Amino acid sequence: MHRYSLLVPAGFETGAAASLSGVCDLMSPSNPPTAQQGFGLGVAATVTPMLCATPDPLDEVALSASMVSAATALVCHRADLSDDEVSSAPAVAGLVDPQSWKSAVATWCCHQLDKQPDLNMIGCRVATLRSGAKHHFSSKQLDAAIGSELLSQFPEWHVDLTSPDLLVIAILLNRTLTIGILLPPFQPRSSDVLPLEPRSWITCRDRPHTRPSRAAAMVRLAGLQPGERLLDPCGGIGVLSIEAAIAHEIHACSVDIDPEACHAAYQNSLAAPLLGCVEVQCKDCCSRTSFPVGSFDCAVADLPFGMRHGRLDVAALMQLSLIHIS
């Protein structure tokens, strides 16, 4: 039996499960995480591990479904850990049954289609997302403790922090622990725990942009119908509009005030396998004269974070976006 943990955007678990219902039965945690007083949920709460088990390996289409942020071979999922179980990084790492490491590595090997890895020459890395309740250790300490447990099971392996053959992702959110081994087509990156998502049409990854899986989830939530017109007033490099036009026969309009972002959005739209069409316009969507009243059927936006172009008047943006909608 092959066990998987598919990481999907938090808050969109139902849509993710529905999108893969014909392939596998995904199970999500019964209760969403809650922040304890004095502690934020942090980045670990931006994704939800959806679990499944299948007699045969999942194919790449399922692993790289549009709403999947990362796919892993499940090593361990434990909820409601006690204070003793999270008292230290070695205590958390010791919760994993040795056989679970071997089973997950076997599943990982099944997905190395280009060539079977030499299990005597594996470079590995552990990366942790940790937030929520107070833990008496850092993410780096948990990385080291889990890595030590992994190397005790596979002593011939070595640590490779820059270009690992195998990446272990650990998520510790409050008192819930999920550990998995990253599977292709996802590729690890040294700058982030979560990997790059497989979108060949993204030609300009160095610019900040919405994660494609989150954009796909937002598009699904919009319930678009064929022929409708969608407005993204914070278009950036066009990820949200392109995901919408890939999934639906619609007209999506990506609007941004940054000429470089608009150029990247246009190039991305040319490379994407669109079912509908994408229009890119470089203008200020906060202006009442941006579009005639009623030009669009819906607006979907991932509001920008940061100060690249000064403070954004979110209230004005939402008000004017509503004016543009029929």
Side-chain angles (χ1 to χ4, degrees):
M1 188 67 72
H2 299 275
R3 300 193 306 155
Y4 296 90
S5 171
L6 305 185
L7 306 184
V8 304
F12 298 97
E13 296 84 359
T14 301
S19 68
L20 288 169
S21 59
V23 180
C24 59
D25 294 324
L26 291 177
M27 300 178 295
S28 63
S30 56
N31 297 313
T34 56
Q36 297 186 8
Q37 185 174 2
F39 299 96
L41 287 177
V43 69
T46 61
V47 291
T48 298
M50 303 282 286
L51 312 180
C52 71
T54 60
D56 299 311
L58 289 176
D59 61 26
E60 188 172 305
V61 174
L63 297 181
S64 60
S66 62
M67 291 178 63
V68 175
S69 302
T72 69
L74 181 64
V75 177
C76 169
H77 179 76
R78 295 280 301 273
D80 300 322
L81 298 176
S82 67
D83 288 343
D84 287 342
E85 289 173 320
V86 293
S87 60
S88 67
V92 174
L95 295 173
V96 183
D97 176 61
Q99 185 56 43
S100 297
W101 282 116
K102 294 179 171 60
S103 297
V105 169
T107 295
W108 176 76
C109 288
C110 289
H111 288 276
Q112 308 305 308
L113 301 180
D114 292 338
K115 69 174 184 177
Q116 284 300 304
D118 182 354
L119 292 182
N120 293 317
M121 299 286 292
I122 296 295
C124 60
R125 171 184 165 227
V126 179
T128 296
L129 291 175
R130 181 191 58 84
S131 58
K134 183 177 181 180
H135 305 121
H136 298 288
F137 48 85
S138 68
S139 297
K140 293 297 184 184
Q141 288 172 321
L142 186 54
D143 290 349
I146 294 174
S148 179
E149 285 290 327
L150 178 60
L151 293 178
S152 72
Q153 300 300 317
F154 302 93
E156 66 277 12
W157 291 9
H158 63 277
V159 174
D160 187 338
L161 299 180
T162 55
S163 301
D165 302 300
L166 180 146
L167 174 66
V168 174
I169 296 178
I171 300 176
L172 180 59
L173 179 58
N174 289 334
R175 293 291 188 262
T176 299
L177 173 69
T178 306
I179 300 176
I181 300 175
L182 187 68
L183 298 174
F186 295 91
Q187 297 294 324
R189 50 180 173 173
S190 58
S191 61
D192 199 347
V193 175
L194 295 178
L196 292 174
E197 297 182 16
R199 301 293 198 278
S200 60
W201 47 265
I202 297 183
T203 61
C204 189
R205 289 188 180 271
D206 59 325
R207 293 187 63 87
H209 60 273
T210 304
R211 289 190 70 87
S213 56
R214 178 164 293 277
M218 295 170 68
V219 166
R220 184 180 180 90
L221 195 63
L224 299 170
Q225 299 299 315
E228 288 189 330
R229 293 175 59 85
L230 174 143
L231 169 67
D232 178 4
C234 307
I237 65 171
V239 173
L240 201 153
S241 291
I242 292 171
E243 287 288 344
I246 287 175
H248 302 278
E249 193 175 348
I250 62 157
H251 182 107
C253 185
S254 177
V255 180
D256 203 280
I257 60 174
D258 185 338
E260 292 184 6
C262 290
H263 177 73
Y266 177 70
Q267 295 299 320
N268 289 339
S269 69
L270 293 180
L274 302 180
L275 182 61
C277 64
V278 172
E279 176 186 0
V280 179
Q281 294 201 28
C282 190
K283 61 173 61 176
D284 183 1
C285 210
C286 286
S287 169
R288 285 183 174 270
T289 59
S290 296
F291 298 98
V293 174
S295 296
F296 299 95
D297 299 289
C298 70
V300 181
D302 187 11
L303 297 178
F305 178 82
M307 304 291 288
R308 182 189 271 282
H309 297 292
R311 187 172 298 278
L312 176 68
D313 189 339
V314 175
L317 178 66
M318 294 178 66
Q319 182 182 29
L320 290 169
S321 294
L322 290 173
I323 291 174
H324 299 324
I325 297 173
S326 57

